[in-house]
Amino acid sequence: MTTGASGASPVSRHPHGSLLSVVVVPRAGKSSIAQLVDGTIQIRVIAPPVDGAANAALLRFLADILDVPRSRIEIVSGASSRRKRIFISGVAFDELETRLHAALDKGP
C-alpha cells in the first residue's frame, strides 16, 4: 500500500481491530474505490448525502469489498463530512491492509 506525502497510511491500528481513513464522493455514477496520488483512499458511492444514505452505502460497499460483516464496520468520525474514519472490528492492521490492497488491485 502506498503512503501519502506525509508518510501516513490510511490504515491505523486499534486495540479491537483497525481504523481506515477515507474520502467519500457521493452521487457517483457507480460505487468504486481508488487510491489517489497522495495516498488517500477515495470511495465513490451512488447514494446522495441525504438522510445518511451515502454513509449507509459506504458501509455496505466496504463490507462487501473487505469481506467483513456489515455489523463490524462503523463510522467513528466524520459522519457529516467527506473525510471519515471507519472502525473495522476484529480485523488486524496487516489483514486490513492486505484486503484493501486486493480491493484496490481489482480497480473500478
Side-chain angles (χ1 to χ4, degrees):
M1 171 131 342
T2 306
T3 56
S6 66
S9 170
V11 178
S12 56
R13 298 177 196 280
H14 184 279
H16 303 289
S18 299
L19 293 166
L20 175 62
S21 296
V22 300
V23 173
V24 179
V25 179
R27 289 192 175 112
K30 68 176 187 171
S31 295
S32 64
I33 184 170
Q35 187 166 26
L36 305 180
V37 175
D38 68 357
T40 301
I41 299 298
Q42 181 184 68
I43 300 178
R44 295 175 171 274
V45 294
I46 297 168
V50 177
D51 296 329
N55 286 342
L58 166 69
L59 297 177
R60 282 191 308 271
F61 180 73
L62 283 173
D64 184 46
I65 66 168
L66 298 176
D67 194 28
V68 174
R70 164 58 193 93
S71 61
R72 292 178 36 198
I73 302 176
E74 70 177 291
I75 298 171
V76 293
S77 68
S80 61
S81 169
R82 287 182 182 239
R83 293 193 176 275
K84 302 178 188 304
R85 290 191 34 101
I86 313 294
F87 172 63
I88 296 106
S89 174
V91 179
F93 175 85
D94 295 337
E95 180 62 23
L96 180 57
E97 281 205 325
T98 299
R99 292 180 189 192
L100 189 57
H101 187 71
L104 288 165
D105 284 347
K106 287 182 185 176

